[in-house]
Amino acid sequence: MSTENLPQSPERPTRKPRVAVVFGGRSSEHGISVVTAGAVLSAIDRTKYDVLPIGITQDGRWALTADEPERMAIVDRRQPSVEQLAESGEGGVVLPVDPANREVVYNEPGSVPKALGEVDVVFPMLHGPYGEDGTLQGLLELSGVPYVGSGVLASAVGQDKDYMKRVFTSFGLKVGPYVVIRPREWQQDEAAARKKIVDFAGEHGWPLFVKPARAGSSFGITKVDDLAGLDEAIEEAQRHDPKIIVEALLRGREIECGVLEFEDGPRASVPAEIPPVQSHAFYDFEAKYIDAADGIVPAPLTEEQTAEVRRLAVEAFDAASCEGLVRADFFLTEDGEFVINEINTMPGFTPISMYPRMWRETGVGYAELVDRLIQAALRRSTGLR
């Protein structure tokens, strides 16, 4: 029977995609994650998306927070925290573990659990361990919820400077000299582990940079000018990570480049240069976020150098199987060669951060950048891909 003349049911209104912005976390980068989330919450187009802010406290509790980006800023050199923003000191947000159910639930002790609605995509504004390193990504894969940024493998590789460099080397990208001290080496024979670093210094010279192998935002990094400062630098790095990496000084210019996933694949931004910061030994956390040291965008490079670093940034993105976004950091050595230092799979994302600044100069403003990342996540499925 023809249905042409039968009354048609009105179409159900299509709801807006719901974005859970997850921030904070258990790493030493908790505060800057909150700042970053505030900027993203301010930029998300509320006519296009519904938003659910979820903060993770420093002890790991998932808290429901107020949607108040103005409270998520550095004030008087003090970083904000999820604890300051949480609507309750005890309640917890629970993500679904059933891929067929994307309903988020809020539990308050002594109260009936409250359904917060379905989540279509997670924007994980987490830096460092327990968020940027593949752990959260694995949870979201199990839940079947799409998310912004790289998957489990790329996130883990991007967090571990040791394996990151191994991957880059295997793909033909040039990295600088380094040596790694694993926890067991240090526990079994401190003297031998220390000698390994001293021998490295004998081969490559001082100064050295002693770093946590799996931390970001320049936390725990010390520039060591001689043997006298080595033990203190090792202790500082191990406060953040029992596995440390020691890198030789590369003389040259610091160049950064952003990579963003478009519909037709990853593209690189114009590069930026990080000039020497006179008030800091190197480009550390204070220089990046507190004192807001200026980078030069675009970097004063030749056309050939600009094309080369953009090509290498995309190569690094592909080598580590990244998705969504990456900031790739290079040294342009005195002999004119680009050496990759590291990638950041969830780089600093405040409006003053280099990644958004590079894309703004390339023609993609902050709000569009946020939208493109959400759309890229919505296009992808979870699971093997």
Side-chain angles (χ1 to χ4, degrees):
M1 183 178 71
S2 173
T3 60
E4 287 182 359
N5 298 320
L6 293 178
Q8 300 296 308
S9 300
E11 291 188 8
R12 296 178 61 185
T14 304
R15 69 175 179 85
K16 294 182 288 187
R18 198 144 192 252
V19 182
V21 178
V22 180
F23 59 95
R26 294 163 57 189
S27 82
S28 53
E29 299 173 78
H30 178 99
I32 196 59
S33 171
V34 177
V35 174
T36 301
V40 170
L41 287 168
S42 296
I44 290 179
D45 184 350
R46 304 307 178 96
T47 67
K48 192 171 181 179
Y49 305 104
D50 285 328
V51 177
L52 176 65
I54 300 173
I56 301 177
T57 64
Q58 294 174 60
D59 62 3
R61 179 172 61 91
W62 287 52
L64 187 63
T65 66
D67 187 3
E68 299 176 359
E70 64 278 4
R71 295 173 56 198
M72 303 165 73
I74 295 173
V75 179
D76 295 330
R77 305 179 74 87
R78 292 194 304 272
Q79 300 175 53
S81 69
V82 170
E83 284 79 358
Q84 297 166 353
L85 299 163
E87 294 193 350
S88 164
E90 296 182 314
V93 175
V94 180
L95 285 183
V97 292
D98 178 0
N101 172 26
R102 292 182 179 176
E103 189 94 69
V104 176
V105 175
Y106 179 70
N107 289 319
E108 185 81 38
S111 301
V112 176
K114 176 183 176 183
L116 300 178
E118 292 188 348
V119 166
D120 298 290
V121 64
V122 169
F123 203 135
M125 302 309 308
L126 294 158
H127 303 298
Y130 312 111
E132 190 183 350
D133 59 350
T135 50
L136 177 65
Q137 290 74 15
L139 172 64
L140 296 173
E141 292 285 350
L142 289 172
S143 300
V145 180
Y147 51 92
V148 170
S150 291
V152 175
L153 173 65
S155 297
V157 167
Q159 189 64 37
D160 190 315
K161 295 178 177 64
D162 174 17
Y163 286 96
M164 180 197 310
K165 292 176 187 291
R166 292 171 185 265
V167 167
F168 289 154
T169 300
S170 72
F171 277 82
L173 292 161
K174 186 173 179 61
V175 304
Y178 70 99
V179 65
V180 173
I181 305 296
R182 291 174 172 79
R184 187 180 300 171
E185 292 180 79
W186 190 256
Q187 293 160 5
Q188 291 181 343
D189 193 336
E190 281 190 23
R194 190 179 293 104
K195 183 178 184 300
K196 186 176 174 181
I197 299 174
V198 173
D199 289 346
F200 179 78
E203 181 180 357
H204 298 285
W206 301 91
L208 301 176
F209 289 89
V210 180
K211 305 179 176 182
R214 296 164 292 193
S217 290
S218 301
F219 281 115
I221 299 178
T222 306
K223 181 182 179 184
V224 183
D225 294 314
D226 53 42
L227 187 59
L230 183 59
D231 284 354
E232 186 178 348
I234 292 171
E235 184 178 342
E236 171 61 15
Q238 288 177 332
R239 284 200 315 110
H240 298 268
D241 187 351
K243 178 181 178 181
I244 66 172
I245 186 168
V246 180
E247 296 175 347
L249 173 69
L250 287 177
R251 301 189 185 279
R253 300 159 63 186
E254 291 190 47
I255 306 295
E256 298 184 347
C257 192
V259 181
L260 177 64
E261 183 181 347
F262 285 74
E263 290 83 352
D264 59 352
R267 301 182 201 171
S269 70
V270 299
E273 180 168 4
I274 309 300
V277 183
Q278 299 304 320
S279 58
H280 297 263
F282 57 96
Y283 192 49
D284 61 4
F285 177 84
E286 296 274 325
K288 290 177 183 177
Y289 297 110
I290 304 298
D291 296 327
D294 282 334
I296 303 169
V297 190
L301 301 170
T302 66
E303 287 186 14
E304 292 77 11
Q305 289 172 329
T306 297
E308 176 68 359
V309 75
R310 294 176 83 168
R311 181 185 69 79
L312 290 172
V314 172
E315 276 196 22
F317 182 96
D318 286 336
S321 298
C322 296
E323 296 168 293
L325 74 164
V326 150
R327 193 194 70 232
D329 300 346
F330 297 86
F331 290 104
L332 176 56
T333 63
E334 293 173 340
D335 61 3
E337 186 174 35
F338 283 106
V339 176
I340 188 163
N341 183 38
E342 64 180 25
I343 57 170
N344 226 291
T345 56
M346 187 53 72
F349 211 86
T350 68
I352 66 167
S353 298
M354 294 310 300
Y355 184 85
R357 287 182 60 194
M358 288 187 287
W359 276 107
R360 184 168 66 242
E361 191 67 26
T362 312
V364 181
Y366 194 87
E368 182 184 350
L369 190 57
V370 169
D371 184 67
R372 283 191 172 277
L373 288 168
I374 294 171
Q375 289 298 315
L378 287 169
R379 285 196 301 271
R380 290 195 303 268
S381 63
T382 54
L384 297 177
R385 53 188 184 274

